[in-house]
Amino acid sequence: QVELVESGGGLVQAGGSLRLSCAASGLPFNSYAMGWFRQTPGKEREFVASISWSGESTFYADSVKGRFTVSRDNAKNKVYLRMDSLKPEDTAVYYCAADAILGRSWPVGDVADYGSWGQGTQVTVFS
């Protein structure tokens, strides 16, 4: 019933920018914190950024802090990830996820905290 669909990935030169979008349906979007994760072949999925249900609180992995910005538009049931100053090491499949717990007031940053996942969108950064 819950569906999360990512878009906006692609090829970008190092130093460039991309904005990822995640469209959500099948859940009360404005009641759930949302997160972004990424994964490369052979590695575990890692936390990138998260945002509280209200959009007032955000949390970032140290590796992307200052370069990535997570935001949401509850009226549109969408969450975004603005990625600036991209590096080749940012190359990965990026996933959107919804918190497993309704109404949590703080953003969380562990895979186990999320209950619904999108299919991912590929981001490739070349130098």
Side-chain angles (χ1 to χ4, degrees):
Q1 296 299 310
V2 177
E3 186 174 24
L4 304 174
V5 181
E6 302 95 337
S7 62
L11 297 170
V12 63
Q13 189 171 20
S17 299
L18 284 174
R19 190 178 79 156
L20 306 183
S21 297
C22 173
S25 62
L27 78 166
F29 184 73
N30 64 350
S31 297
Y32 286 89
M34 300 292 294
W36 287 97
F37 293 76
R38 65 188 182 187
Q39 188 169 24
T40 56
K43 296 183 179 180
E44 293 186 354
R45 195 165 297 185
E46 67 171 338
F47 170 75
V48 175
S50 60
I51 186 167
S52 64
W53 65 267
S54 67
E56 294 184 353
S57 298
T58 57
F59 180 46
Y60 297 93
D62 288 341
S63 60
V64 305
K65 191 174 298 182
R67 299 188 298 119
F68 290 11
T69 303
V70 62
S71 61
R72 67 191 298 160
D73 186 339
N74 287 344
K76 296 181 178 180
N77 285 4
K78 289 186 176 180
V79 62
Y80 306 95
L81 184 68
R82 170 78 182 193
M83 304 184 293
D84 295 314
S85 301
L86 283 163
K87 306 174 181 179
E89 49 263 47
D90 294 319
T91 295
V93 177
Y94 283 72
Y95 297 89
C96 174
D99 194 350
I101 299 177
L102 176 70
R104 183 143 48 189
S105 60
W106 64 92
V108 291
D110 192 278
V111 169
D113 293 321
Y114 292 83
S116 301
W117 297 84
Q119 294 301 305
T121 185
Q122 176 71 46
V123 172
T124 302
V125 184
F126 61 93
S127 60

